[in-house]
Structure formats: structure tokens, C-alpha cells
């Protein structure tokens, strides 16, 4: 098998299966994630299912972007929690059809307009995971800032 690791922009993740532990994924910095299937299959410890990992990747990607943008806007972020809910098609391959992302943000010095702009930039320009998923699923963003609800 020919590897393409020398091409710019190439990302490599290794996935391995062990009959006692199931699947695990690792990257170049030796971070490891356990990946499970249906409950009870090689599940010796808590694991993420593949579709949960996709939602987690979306939350991490857009969250990283949003924090970076809000920090540049001089917003003092105290906490961010992102709840992501994905609806799947009934027929195989059961792709995501709708995904809702809700950002619960506690911050000082930021306006709803600044937060909205940060999330829009992540959604529309910077988050490659979201831009990939949006080709097959409808993504809906909302947020609360210091307890007050807003839509994007």
C-alpha cells in the first residue's frame, strides 16, 4: 500500500483492532481514542461509537475556531459547553440528516453580535469538519450567552 504522507495537508490516523479491546485510533502525537460498536461488543471500558466521534469532531473543530476568534475579539471566556444532537436517516447507511449545535457560553465583555460573528466565521469559513458534514446534513447553530438564548 502506497502512503501519501508527504503531501501537504495530509492527515494520518491509525486504527487497530484487538480481540479483547476492540478498535482504537491513534495519531502522530500518540493520542488514543477507543472506538466501540454496538453495546457489548469488545466493550471492556467506555468507548465512543463512530458516529459519536463525528459529532465530537464537529464540536471540537467549531469550538476551537470560536474560542480563537472570540479571544481575538477580547472576549473573556469563562466556559463553553457545546451540546450536539444528530438525527440520522432511517435507512442504511443511516447518515446524519440534521445536526443541532448549541453553544452555552459564559463570558465577560462580549456581545451577542460578537459571539454570533465568531460562530458564523467558524461555520462558514474555518471549520473543515463542519464544511465536510454540511454536504450531507443540515447544520443548525444556536447559542446562549450568560444564560440568554440566541439563534445564529
Amino acid at each position: 500500500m502506497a502512503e501519501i504522507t508527504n503531501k501537504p495537508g495530509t492527515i494520518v490516523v491509525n486504527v487497530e483492532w484487538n480481540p479483547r479491546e476492540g478498535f482504537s485510533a491513534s495519531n502522530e502525537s500518540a493520542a488514543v481514542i477507543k472506538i466501540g460498536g454496538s453495546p457489548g461488543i469488545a466493550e471492556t471500558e467506555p468507548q465512543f461509537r463512530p458516529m459519536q466521534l463525528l459529532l465530537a469532531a464537529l464540536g471540537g473543530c467549531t469550538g476551537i475556531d470560536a474560542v480563537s476568534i472570540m479571544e481575538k475579539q477580547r472576549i473573556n471566556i469563562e466556559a463553553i459547553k457545546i451540546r450536539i444532537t444528530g438525527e440520522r436517516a432511517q435507512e442504511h447507511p443511516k447518515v446524519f440528516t440534521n445536526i443541532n449545535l448549541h453553544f452555552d457560553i459564559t463570558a465577560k465583555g462580549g456581545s451577542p453580535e460578537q459571539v454570533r460573528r465568531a460562530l458564523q466565521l467558524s461555520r462558514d469559513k474555518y471549520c473543515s469538519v463542519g464544511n465536510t458534514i454540511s454536504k450531507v446534513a443540515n447544520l443548525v447553530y444556536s447559542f446562549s450567552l450568560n444564560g440568554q438564548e440566541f439563534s445564529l
Side-chain angles (χ1 to χ4, degrees):
M1 177 178 76
E3 281 201 38
I4 54 172
T5 57
N6 60 344
K7 290 181 83 175
T10 300
I11 297 172
V12 177
V13 173
N14 295 301
V15 178
E16 296 182 32
W17 181 77
N18 174 310
R20 291 187 313 270
E21 298 177 16
F23 283 96
S24 63
S26 62
N27 66 9
E28 73 282 352
S29 62
V32 176
I33 295 174
K34 299 291 184 182
I35 305 170
S38 299
I41 297 178
E43 196 169 308
T44 57
E45 58 188 69
Q47 302 172 344
F48 274 93
R49 294 195 183 128
M51 295 300 274
Q52 292 172 325
L53 282 172
L54 196 57
L55 295 179
L58 174 59
C61 183
T62 195
I64 290 166
D65 293 339
V67 166
S68 175
I69 295 164
M70 286 188 276
E71 286 177 342
K72 289 175 184 168
Q73 295 172 325
R74 303 204 192 292
I75 298 173
N76 183 8
I77 305 164
E78 295 177 356
I80 295 180
K81 294 180 184 176
I82 309 167
R83 180 167 176 82
I84 307 163
T85 307
E87 295 176 22
R88 296 177 68 183
Q90 296 297 311
E91 300 297 322
H92 286 287
K94 297 187 179 182
V95 298
F96 283 119
T97 55
N98 292 294
I99 298 174
N100 293 297
L101 298 93
H102 182 76
F103 296 75
D104 184 10
I105 302 167
T106 304
K108 292 181 181 172
S111 70
E113 292 74 25
Q114 287 177 297
V115 172
R116 183 176 288 111
R117 181 69 179 143
L119 294 176
Q120 287 171 333
L121 282 169
S122 176
R123 178 192 67 194
D124 299 338
K125 184 173 183 179
Y126 295 113
C127 180
S128 54
V129 176
N131 279 281
T132 300
I133 294 172
S134 70
K135 305 291 188 245
V136 296
N138 179 44
L139 303 182
V140 177
Y141 292 69
S142 62
F143 68 97
S144 64
L145 178 59
N146 301 320
Q148 189 175 358
E149 299 287 329
F150 301 93
S151 61
L152 217 55

